[in-house]
Amino acid sequence: MESKFTFDQSYGKVLGQTYMSIFERLSKLMKDANLPITPDQFRVLTRLWQNDGCPQQELANSSNRDRANVTRILDILEREGIVTRKNQRRTKRLDFGGWISSIRSTRVRLVINGI
């Protein structure tokens, strides 16, 4: 007797629900801690903390986002004063520039709040 496979029983559905639960919990923790960033922005910022000045394409690859999404996130972070953009020949590179104290304080608050 063949059993009928349904999407509700798949690992894909369970993984998707788990991801969404974690994402929603992180969003709530960040909001409750009055942090000025979203989980998607946090993902990009952690890559910048690890590799200051990396090109946007590298940042997109390491954060598992497409370049357009990373560009949008960086534009928002730049508008909020969290990162600054430094243009160099042929490639856009990012650095913390004059915003390093703001970024460090955000990073410290994330660590203190256990996020």
Side-chain angles (χ1 to χ4, degrees), residues 71-108:
T71 298
R72 181 186 57 79
I73 289 170
L74 292 173
D75 288 344
I76 293 168
L77 292 173
E78 185 176 32
R79 187 172 54 239
E80 296 294 322
I82 296 172
V83 298
T84 57
R85 190 179 314 259
K86 178 173 67 176
N87 290 323
Q88 294 183 348
R89 283 190 217 156
R90 296 190 200 130
T91 52
K92 288 185 178 179
R93 294 187 177 267
L94 296 171
D95 71 342
F96 293 132
W99 303 107
I100 195 161
S101 62
S102 173
I103 290 170
R104 283 190 179 151
S105 67
T106 300
R107 187 176 188 183
V108 167

Side-chain angles (χ1 to χ4, degrees), residues 2-66:
E2 269 185 56
S3 66
K4 196 172 193 180
F5 177 78
T6 65
F7 179 70
D8 291 338
Q9 300 169 332
S10 72
Y11 290 119
K13 181 175 182 196
V14 172
L15 287 173
Q17 289 174 327
T18 303
Y19 170 80
M20 287 306 298
S21 294
I22 292 169
F23 187 87
E24 288 170 1
R25 177 74 175 139
L26 183 57
S27 293
K28 183 176 180 344
L29 288 171
M30 293 174 122
K31 185 176 182 178
D32 291 348
N34 293 321
L35 294 173
I37 59 174
T38 66
D40 284 330
Q41 293 168 343
F42 176 70
R43 180 188 294 191
V44 172
L45 277 175
T46 57
R47 295 303 177 189
L48 281 174
W49 288 331
Q50 294 170 350
N51 190 6
D52 186 18
C54 69
Q56 285 187 23
Q57 186 60 55
E58 184 181 324
L59 191 57
N61 294 341
S62 67
S63 63
N64 295 319
R65 292 282 184 236
D66 60 60

